[in-house]
Amino acid sequence: MSSTLFRTKKVEQSILDTEEPEHALKKSLSALDLTVFGVGVIIGTGIFVLTGTVAKNNAGPSVALAFVVAGVVCALAALCYAEFASTVPVAGSAYTFSYASLGELPAWIIGWDLVLEFALGTAVVAVGWSGYIASLLDNAGWHLPEALSGREGASGFGFDILAAALVLVLTGILVLGMKLSARITSLVVAIKVTVVLIVIIAGAFFIKADNYKPFIPKAQTVEAGGSLKAPLIQLMFGWAPSNFGVLGIFTAASVVFFAFIGFDVVATAAEETKNPQRDMPRGILGSLLICTTLYVAVSIVVTGMQKYTQLSVDAPLADAFKAIGHPWYAGVISFGAAVGLTTVCMILLLGQTRVFFAMSRDGLLPRFFSHVHPRFKTPHRPTILLGVIIAIVAGFTSLSELAELVNIGTLFAFIVVALGVIILRNTRPDLHRSFRTPLVPFLPIVSVLASLWLMLNLPAETWLRFGIWMVIGFVVYFLYGRTHSRLARGEETRVGEVLKPPGRDEQ
């Protein structure tokens, strides 16, 4: 049985599958589109909320270094993603990469993980967007009925109509075509990056050097405890992470990592990219570099405007402007956050539908969902199905405590992709690689260790929930996926000996 569980799908086979007319996605994206997608999904509420929150609770003014640390961890993974996405330009991201290197069962596990990660991420972001819009409507004197707000305090039946409506509208946009999605994303990203730059430039005029002292506050060890909400590393080894001090920077990095989630979604669009060998590395690494720079700049500004001990937890950046007598900027920040969350939600939904589509095309999920729309060339069936489900979940459920599952799911994917790079280098050294991860196997190993370290700093209850979802995934695989897999049924297309790198004709 072990040989069937770890059977791999040839890279050539994966690429040939993308050429089947009924299952082929339209290639319409450029390097700029991919970079915009990356920036669009990475920049969300994290830049407006986590910056000050972590400065006050974990790292002080050195939160800027925490963003650098988290950015480096993501960069290590990004280099691995860039090699895979340019070598195997097929929808599915880490799922497809795992199928080519680790085998079918690991691929299923990571695909199942990504479905949860992107679904929860979309729902959580939609609920957050709803809160911002409702607040702006309240300020304008328009109040939603309590039963349709979905927020705490609603009595009896409660449904967050705004969150559900957002998901359904974005679902429709994704069905209509990738290029339309890219154009809307470009417009929204331009708006929210402009808002971020306004905040950085305006805030720079109110920086006081004394607020940076001390830049790395004296270390304070977090009190040890037996609660499941404690970091797993604390329960395993009896060691509690530090707030402040040098170790506080690393603790803070595990928290602000949430603000970086999303760059890996860019890899799910590899199959819809005109020239994936050239453009995928540019899109993945470029978006990560831009966002890291903006995060560091924002953290330097907010901790320079107001002493870190005085920063608020809920809206630190907006409240910092209020504290210095400029409340107008608080409205600008709220507007930027609301606009920004729109693209975050859409791109997370995009990523999930592409993973689901790829798993369906391989037979691990019903093949019914792998047919593309005859006109728009989009995977409309899984997009509509998942959009409706997530809209219902976002409307009825408060997902704040489940948000950390998005973190652990992403880090798990990072580990799998890094290991996959090492394995595929050894098993298929003949493959054409237009982008090569440097220092293999050293750099991927460092990526694995860094991701694992951040995972251990997540609460134990997050690991418990993650484990339950994985158990459900194993059950589904053994009841359906293992026997319906196209590899199991011998339905592979005839593969030639030589692989022609796709996208060369467009170069």
Side-chain angles (χ1 to χ4, degrees):
M1 177 183 288
S2 61
S3 60
T4 60
L5 297 181
F6 294 94
R7 55 196 170 207
T8 57
K9 183 178 181 180
K10 290 183 178 181
V11 173
E12 294 89 342
Q13 178 65 56
S14 294
I15 294 173
L16 281 176
D17 286 348
T18 68
E19 299 174 359
E20 297 176 357
E22 291 185 349
H23 308 282
L25 300 173
K26 184 177 180 181
K27 297 182 182 295
S28 60
L29 300 179
S30 64
L32 178 60
D33 292 326
L34 295 173
T35 303
V36 169
F37 272 138
V39 174
V41 73
I42 296 172
I43 296 181
T45 53
I47 197 169
F48 301 113
V49 178
L50 288 179
T51 306
T53 305
V54 174
K56 182 175 183 177
N57 298 332
N58 302 105
S62 64
V63 64
L65 299 180
F67 275 111
V68 172
V69 171
V72 168
V73 173
C74 289
L76 294 172
L79 290 169
C80 298
Y81 269 90
E83 174 170 326
F84 257 128
S86 59
T87 306
V88 194
V90 177
S93 184
Y95 157 76
T96 300
F97 308 157
S98 301
Y99 214 160
S101 56
L102 301 175
E104 186 172 281
L105 179 59
W108 166 267
I109 293 172
I110 195 61
W112 187 252
D113 161 59
L114 290 175
V115 167
L116 175 69
E117 173 195 338
F118 293 149
L120 286 181
T122 305
V124 169
V125 171
V127 172
W129 177 89
S130 171
Y132 276 106
I133 296 300
S135 176
L136 292 174
L137 291 177
D138 289 342
N139 292 338
W142 300 338
H143 306 287
L144 281 175
E146 192 176 69
L148 296 179
S149 68
R151 293 185 294 280
E152 292 183 7
S155 57
F157 175 83
F159 184 79
D160 194 333
I161 188 68
L162 291 177
L166 173 67
V167 174
L168 293 177
V169 169
L170 296 179
T171 297
I173 293 173
L174 290 174
V175 168
L176 292 177
M178 179 64 90
K179 198 61 183 178
L180 174 62
S181 304
R183 288 171 181 168
I184 293 175
T185 300
S186 298
L187 175 62
V188 176
V189 168
I191 294 173
K192 70 177 176 180
V193 169
T194 299
V195 170
V196 172
L197 292 176
I198 290 173
V199 170
I200 293 172
I201 295 171
F205 289 97
F206 304 105
I207 290 176
K208 295 181 180 179
D210 289 343
N211 289 334
Y212 292 127
K213 301 175 182 177
F215 187 72
I216 302 180
K218 187 177 180 181
Q220 299 174 6
T221 302
V222 178
E223 215 173 288
S227 170
L228 274 178
K229 292 187 176 181
L232 183 65
I233 194 170
Q234 176 179 326
L235 300 182
M236 291 173 61
F237 305 109
W239 175 82
S242 295
N243 283 342
F244 310 118
V246 175
L247 288 179
I249 296 174
F250 292 97
T251 302
S254 67
V255 178
V256 301
F257 176 80
F258 181 81
F260 286 92
I261 284 180
F263 80 86
D264 56 317
V265 181
V266 176
T268 65
E271 190 173 327
E272 293 158 279
T273 303
K274 296 177 183 177
N275 192 337
Q277 286 74 24
R278 181 192 66 192
D279 294 341
M280 286 307 301
R282 293 180 180 181
I284 293 173
L285 297 171
S287 59
L288 185 59
L289 177 61
I290 291 171
C291 293
T292 302
T293 302
L294 292 176
Y295 282 173
V296 171
V298 167
S299 62
I300 290 174
V301 167
V302 72
T303 54
M305 290 174 60
Q306 191 174 25
K307 191 71 174 178
Y308 74 92
T309 54
Q310 299 173 352
L311 290 171
S312 71
V313 175
D314 296 328
L317 196 52
D319 289 344
F321 277 102
K322 289 180 181 179
I324 60 174
H326 292 274
W328 179 82
Y329 287 104
V332 173
I333 292 169
S334 296
F335 173 74
V339 171
L341 289 180
T342 306
T343 55
V344 176
C345 192
M346 181 169 71
I347 299 169
L348 286 174
L349 181 58
L350 163 72
Q352 187 195 35
T353 58
R354 270 44 181 185
V355 173
F356 197 98
F357 168 78
M359 296 175 73
S360 172
R361 190 164 56 189
D362 290 333
L364 296 176
L365 290 173
R367 290 269 288 172
F368 170 81
F369 295 106
S370 66
H371 292 270
V372 298
H373 193 280
R375 177 183 175 186
F376 304 122
K377 297 299 180 182
T378 56
H380 59 295
R381 291 173 179 173
T383 301
I384 294 172
L385 172 68
L386 296 170
V388 171
I389 292 175
I390 295 173
I392 294 173
V393 171
F396 280 113
T397 312
S398 174
L399 295 171
S400 57
E401 291 187 1
L402 298 181
E404 286 169 334
L405 274 172
V406 182
N407 273 20
I408 196 169
T410 301
L411 288 165
F412 180 60
F414 286 3
I415 290 174
V416 170
V417 171
L419 292 175
V421 167
I422 298 174
I423 293 173
L424 202 62
R425 282 283 189 95
N426 290 322
T427 58
R428 292 300 306 276
D430 58 304
L431 283 177
H432 172 78
R433 292 172 170 85
S434 57
F435 179 89
R436 299 176 69 89
T437 304
L439 303 177
V440 175
F442 173 75
L443 189 146
I445 291 174
V446 173
S447 177
V448 169
L449 295 176
S451 297
L452 182 59
W453 171 259
L454 292 185
M455 288 178 73
L456 291 173
N457 278 281
L458 290 171
E461 63 180 2
T462 299
W463 282 81
L464 180 61
R465 290 167 177 160
F466 181 68
I468 292 173
W469 178 254
M470 287 295 104
V471 169
I472 296 173
F474 274 105
V475 172
V476 174
Y477 173 74
F478 282 103
L479 290 180
Y480 182 89
R482 188 170 67 91
T483 55
H484 289 78
S485 162
R486 293 184 70 194
L487 285 184
R489 296 188 171 207
E491 297 178 2
E492 306 96 322
T493 309
R494 188 178 183 87
V495 178
E497 293 297 324
V498 181
L499 171 64
K500 174 188 175 183
R504 281 295 181 87
D505 294 338
E506 290 88 27
Q507 293 182 12

